[in-house]
Amino acid sequence: MNIILFGPPGAGKGTQSKYLVNKLKNFQVSTGDILREEIKKNSDIGQQIISNMNEGKFVSDEIVNSLIENLIYDPENKDKLIFDGYPRSLSQAKYLDLLLDKSNQKIDHIFFLNVNKDTIIERIEKRKILENRKDDDSDTILKRYDTYMETTRPVLDFYSKNSNFHEIDGTKEIDQITKEIDTFINF
Ligand code: AMP
């Protein structure tokens, strides 16, 4: 089963995707984690992306797409993909369709975790203390939210007409969100 978790920064995509990875024995495709790992390794890619990441700006499609391509084509991950933070733009959504098509896969569920701006700011300020991410400071949070509204939210139109698209109130408690997701994947 391939799943996309979609929503603004701080919506709880990472938390729910970890739950799903554990439950379904799937593979988490978190582009944010993959990119942070490149920075930690101080790889060529890491050096190219560090300033964009710290400033809350998108990393280029060229880099992000190249990093996920092999994961999607890997036979071990076939039909076991949980996307968290990808796709984040219409061009990425179209590219993902192409990669899935080429590898004979499809998306089984898209969960949109809908959260308002105030809740996002509150949650990310808490996360900043726990994870110490440079892109979680107050100014950067607002910039990331604006980028989400401008570039990522339009992706909803691309998916929302599909019968496998589910909007979930992401302001609820973690357990309640998990239960709601479960109703769609437990059959
Ligand atoms: P996240 O951990 O999903 O909040 O992502 C953290 C940061 O990584 C984002 O603010 C972007 O700088 C970068 N990033 C993650 N996923 C993508 C993506 N799909 N496209 C472009 N940049 C991304």
Side-chain angles (χ1 to χ4, degrees):
M1 189 185 289
N2 294 322
I3 294 173
I4 294 177
L5 286 155
F6 188 89
K13 302 186 294 292
T15 306
Q16 297 302 332
S17 59
K18 283 191 181 73
Y19 166 78
L20 289 169
V21 162
N22 209 16
K23 180 186 169 91
L24 302 170
K25 303 289 167 251
N26 274 23
F27 183 83
Q28 182 183 11
V29 184
S30 162
T31 42
D33 283 352
I34 295 168
L35 294 166
R36 278 185 287 278
E37 196 51 41
E38 292 296 323
I39 293 177
K40 220 195 262 171
K41 286 192 292 190
N42 197 25
S43 65
D44 284 349
I45 289 180
Q47 290 172 19
Q48 286 175 53
I49 63 175
I50 189 162
S51 57
N52 271 19
M53 289 277 290
N54 287 346
E55 289 167 26
K57 293 181 189 158
F58 277 8
V59 169
S60 72
D61 276 0
E62 197 191 356
I63 291 179
V64 178
N65 289 341
S66 73
L67 288 170
I68 63 151
E69 202 170 304
N70 290 341
L71 298 174
I72 293 175
Y73 285 147
D74 186 338
E76 288 218 2
N77 300 333
K78 189 164 194 268
D79 293 322
K80 290 183 176 175
L81 299 161
I82 309 284
F83 292 96
D84 156 18
Y86 188 96
R88 245 178 163 96
S89 64
L90 214 44
S91 62
Q92 290 183 3
K94 288 179 181 166
Y95 189 69
L96 176 60
D97 259 8
L98 193 78
L99 293 180
L100 291 170
D101 216 34
K102 277 192 182 168
S103 56
N104 205 12
Q105 300 184 75
K106 62 177 176 50
I107 295 295
D108 296 286
H109 294 286
I110 302 152
F111 294 107
F112 168 40
L113 304 181
N114 198 0
V115 182
N116 59 52
K117 190 174 178 179
D118 289 344
T119 308
I120 291 168
I121 293 169
E122 206 180 293
R123 282 190 188 163
I124 295 191
E125 272 165 0
K126 277 191 201 145
R127 185 170 75 184
K128 165 92 187 155
I129 299 164
L130 294 172
E131 296 180 17
N132 197 25
R133 273 174 56 170
K134 285 213 171 56
D135 61 345
D136 276 348
D137 77 62
S138 323
D139 284 352
T140 316
I141 295 166
L142 296 176
K143 225 186 292 160
R144 286 165 64 201
Y145 182 77
D146 288 346
T147 309
Y148 166 77
M149 290 305 280
E150 265 164 44
T151 312
T152 308
R153 211 171 189 286
V155 178
L156 281 182
D157 292 337
F158 187 78
Y159 289 126
S160 61
K161 288 168 206 91
N162 297 4
S163 58
N164 59 4
F165 175 88
H166 318 290
E167 179 168 344
I168 301 213
D169 178 358
T171 59
K172 288 186 181 163
E173 294 296 317
I174 292 173
D175 285 1
Q176 275 176 290
I177 298 172
T178 303
K179 259 191 212 153
E180 207 171 319
I181 289 178
D182 268 346
T183 60
F184 294 103
I185 60 174
N186 284 334
F187 44 82

